[in-house]
Amino acid sequence: MTRCVRVITENAAVDRGFDYELTGALATVGVGDRVRVDFNNRSLRGWVMGEVEATREMKPVKKWLGLGPPAEMLGLLEWASLRWCAPLSRFLLASSPSVVVREVPVAPRPRPLEASVAAQAVSLDPGVLLVSPTHDPLGLILYAYQSTMTREGSLLVLVPTEAWAQRLRGRLEQRGCAVAQGEGEWDRMRAGWPVIVGSRGSALAPTPRLRGAVVIDADDEAYRSESSPTWDVTTMLRERCRRDDAPLWLTSVAPSPTLMARGPVTSWGDVASGWSRVDVVDRREADPHDGVLTRRALEAAHHALAGDEPVAAVVILQRLGHGRLYACRRCGELARCNVCHQAETEVGDQMACVELHEPRANFCRSCAATNLKKVRAGVSTLARDVAAQLSQPVDEVTAASRGPIDARVVVGTEAVFGRVRRCSLVVFVDFDQYLLAPRESARRHALTAVAKAARLVGSRREGRGMVVVQTRRHDEVIDAITSGDVSAVIADDAATARTLSLPPYGARARVSGEAAPEFVAALHSDEVRVRRVQDTYVLTASDVDVLTRVLRETPRTPGRLRLEVF
């Protein structure tokens, strides 16, 4: 009997299925498998989405291209396509191998942990866990492994980076766990290996079923895809675990309103003592003749250089180009909007925030001086100045850096956190770049940056190193990083999100690109509000289902269009 199947092709511009016939040796092709078909006189790859009845003469499938995502995952991928208003083929591709895989090995049965290893497990209920930056998550992972052994499927463990995943894999294998990790072991994941470890992409690991999932640092920005579709791990895994009836553990040093809205947040251990020692330097009170490093930061750097750490000091500036902050030459106060309190920049011959709330003349609101200066040092300039101040060779590290780190002083962006494992001192040269960033997650990002620095220098319990923060303002974030108590900040962020109907209490999307004006003009719905911020349109609605429905119903116009649904 001839089989007919529905195929989604890799052509993202045509996001619908087409029916083909399976003939001869291809009659055994399964749902989810990859095939090659003739589409409009073009040979395209595609995925078999299911069987259909033959209602007319159909073109035959030309070739079988091996296994794709399991049939059990296809419903999840279709949901993700609707949730993030993206072509289904993008998610099918993300869960498929980069090479042809024709068969998978037999997955081993999960083995019980030895008594000495099981004793390291820490019993914690599924949900959101507030942890300190230096807390070792291994105890939670071992408990998740042990408590879900009777379930069918794989335990999925996600961390922000592949380097971290590789180290975690080694620790788990030493304790007797069978682990699959990396794109090169797609076949093991497809077979349902007992433990799967990875970073963001592994949230779409092609295991037929999850028995549980653990996400470390669930609010890390690495878990959100910057390329289209802009999906995020937390939302994806919540839905995947719901479908598989699997427990989900999420850890965070500063839970976002989205995490907090899903249930109560449980503290794991002594959170405050797990933060590092932090010395806050107010540049408004510092000597104006100080260089990029204040006197206290210099003293801390020289003390670190006197130690024996291979990398003694790390200097962070999360800025590649020119800065957007202005400060008063007389009193050092930052130029901030009187309405929204965001940083102000030059707009023509006036000062204003990005939303142009209250344009004004160029003067300091604090002391009325008219000599504002631009804080504009970039990483390259900073590296030169730090080398001169410390009389030490300096290595510069950004996301584009590839060479080895040989110097004992490292200057760079947050890319340093992925290259350096340990040091004695971390200096944030301009912490105001975090505090005054024009986005609602700015304060949590500031906390997360200090948390990553704490992992390099150690906790205040250890007393091994310290973090120096240079700033021109004082707020709850400064109090949180010095005390190790983030509860006030995360509670205030949750209250703000609820008041302003930000996610998860409302839905939001950003539309940009050359076709954005025409697309937004075609929106005809009273359920979606539109606000323009520079070259981007911000769309808000009461919930994400309403927003995505309106976005899907709006006709696409020719030209480049980028949709980010939060």
Side-chain angles (χ1 to χ4, degrees):
M1 180 179 177
T2 302
R3 292 176 59 205
C4 296
V5 294
R6 182 151 295 166
V7 175
I8 292 284
T9 71
E10 63 184 354
N11 186 355
V14 184
D15 191 28
R16 56 179 291 257
F18 295 88
D19 297 343
Y20 290 86
E21 182 182 0
L22 293 174
T23 59
L26 299 179
T28 58
V29 170
V31 175
D33 288 3
R34 298 195 299 171
V35 294
R36 185 171 293 279
V37 297
D38 179 26
F39 179 79
N40 197 23
N41 296 321
R42 297 169 57 194
S43 180
L44 295 180
R45 292 176 298 179
W47 293 265
V48 175
M49 300 301 294
E51 297 195 22
V52 295
E53 293 184 5
T55 57
R56 55 181 174 79
E57 186 177 353
M58 301 179 186
K59 292 182 179 180
V61 171
K62 297 173 63 176
K63 188 177 182 180
W64 180 59
L65 298 180
L67 299 173
E72 294 86 346
M73 271 192 72
L74 298 183
L76 173 72
L77 301 182
E78 290 174 341
W79 170 87
S81 172
L82 297 176
R83 169 62 176 79
W84 284 284
C85 297
L88 176 56
S89 60
R90 299 283 177 83
F91 290 101
L92 288 165
L93 186 62
S95 56
S96 298
S98 57
V99 297
V100 175
V101 176
R102 301 185 183 279
E103 59 182 4
V104 297
V106 177
R109 298 290 302 170
R111 295 188 301 174
L113 299 175
E114 295 181 1
S116 59
V117 176
Q120 303 173 31
V122 180
S123 176
L124 292 163
D125 292 334
V128 181
L129 303 173
L130 175 64
V131 299
S132 69
T134 56
H135 206 114
D136 186 359
L138 184 63
L140 169 63
I141 298 170
L142 292 176
Y143 173 74
Y145 177 89
Q146 190 176 37
S147 63
T148 59
M149 279 191 58
T150 57
R151 293 172 174 264
E152 180 186 354
S154 305
L155 174 67
L156 180 62
V157 183
L158 299 185
V159 291
T161 66
E162 282 297 331
W164 189 348
Q166 185 64 41
R167 296 192 299 269
L168 179 59
R169 173 185 183 161
R171 298 181 71 189
L172 291 174
E173 288 183 333
Q174 288 174 354
R175 289 160 176 80
C177 301
V179 182
Q181 182 253 332
E183 189 177 345
E185 296 186 351
W186 186 93
D187 57 340
R188 290 189 173 191
M189 299 182 192
R190 181 67 167 77
W193 229 246
V195 181
I196 297 173
V197 174
S199 55
R200 181 185 67 228
S202 295
L204 294 174
T207 180
R209 183 178 178 85
L210 290 185
R211 75 172 200 252
V214 180
V215 183
I216 307 301
D217 287 356
D219 281 316
D220 196 291
E221 291 189 337
Y223 287 132
R224 183 168 186 86
S225 172
E226 293 299 324
S227 59
S228 181
T230 55
W231 62 280
D232 68 274
V233 161
T234 302
T235 306
M236 182 72 77
L237 276 187
R238 282 189 182 279
E239 177 65 17
R240 189 170 187 181
C241 288
R242 185 193 67 80
R243 290 169 178 260
D244 290 344
D245 192 25
L248 173 62
W249 291 266
L250 303 157
T251 75
S252 177
V253 297
S256 66
T258 300
L259 288 185
M260 296 177 68
R262 305 300 182 183
V265 177
T266 305
S267 295
W268 181 10
D270 184 2
V271 175
S273 62
W275 284 78
S276 60
R277 290 189 298 138
V278 178
D279 183 16
V280 179
V281 180
D282 192 334
R283 298 215 66 156
R284 294 172 295 184
E285 302 172 357
D287 189 333
H289 297 97
D290 284 348
V292 291
L293 297 181
T294 58
R295 189 167 302 174
R296 279 159 60 185
L298 274 176
E299 291 173 355
H302 286 302
H303 183 269
L305 287 165
D308 56 0
E309 293 284 2
V311 175
V314 169
V315 182
I316 302 291
L317 180 65
Q318 187 60 6
R319 181 171 66 236
L320 292 173
H322 296 315
R324 296 191 297 179
L325 299 184
Y326 282 77
C328 178
R329 292 181 186 274
R330 179 189 293 175
C331 69
E333 193 68 41
L334 291 171
R336 300 169 62 197
C337 176
N338 209 30
V339 177
C340 65
H341 303 292
Q342 293 185 23
E344 293 178 311
T345 59
E346 280 187 321
V347 180
D349 58 352
Q350 293 186 308
M351 303 293 296
C353 66
V354 293
E355 299 190 26
L356 303 178
H357 283 142
E358 195 177 76
R360 63 183 179 87
N362 189 324
F363 68 92
C364 175
R365 294 184 188 273
S366 178
C367 69
T370 57
N371 54 352
L372 300 181
K373 64 177 181 179
K374 191 174 185 181
V375 184
R376 58 184 298 159
V379 169
S380 298
T381 304
L382 178 65
R384 180 196 64 200
D385 293 345
V386 169
Q389 280 191 279
L390 293 177
S391 301
Q392 289 280 335
V394 168
D395 277 343
E396 181 182 335
V397 174
T398 65
S401 303
R402 293 294 180 268
I405 296 176
D406 301 317
R408 299 193 67 208
V409 179
V410 178
V411 174
T413 63
E414 286 188 10
V416 169
F417 296 137
R419 300 286 305 279
V420 177
R421 292 286 311 283
R422 182 184 172 102
C423 66
S424 296
L425 173 70
V426 175
V427 180
F428 289 93
V429 171
D430 190 359
F431 202 60
D432 300 321
Q433 289 288 329
Y434 291 97
L435 299 178
L436 296 180
R439 54 180 177 174
E440 69 274 5
S441 61
R443 302 200 305 170
R444 292 196 308 278
H445 188 193
L447 289 173
T448 302
V450 177
K452 292 178 179 179
R455 289 170 180 157
L456 270 59
V457 303
S459 68
R460 58 189 64 178
R461 285 194 304 265
E462 301 174 62
R464 177 169 57 84
M466 68 180 301
V467 175
V468 174
V469 170
Q470 298 184 165
T471 181
R472 288 182 173 86
R473 64 191 305 263
H474 186 90
D475 66 6
E476 294 91 342
V477 174
I478 300 299
D479 294 333
I481 60 177
T482 52
S483 66
D485 182 6
V486 301
S487 57
V489 176
I490 62 177
D492 188 50
D493 282 357
T496 301
R498 188 180 296 107
T499 302
L500 300 180
S501 297
L502 298 174
Y505 305 104
R508 187 166 58 94
R510 282 203 297 257
V511 183
S512 58
E514 61 182 0
E518 293 81 3
F519 179 82
V520 171
L523 285 169
H524 299 295
S525 174
D526 295 333
E527 299 174 292
V528 175
R529 299 176 296 279
V530 180
R531 179 169 58 95
R532 182 169 184 174
V533 181
Q534 297 181 323
D535 296 331
T536 302
Y537 296 87
V538 179
L539 280 55
T540 56
S542 59
D543 63 68
V544 71
D545 293 332
V546 170
L547 181 60
T548 54
R549 174 176 53 78
V550 172
L551 290 174
R552 291 194 304 269
E553 292 174 352
T554 303
R556 298 292 181 97
T557 53
R560 189 180 68 85
L561 182 72
R562 177 178 171 87
L563 279 177
E564 299 175 80
V565 183
F566 298 92

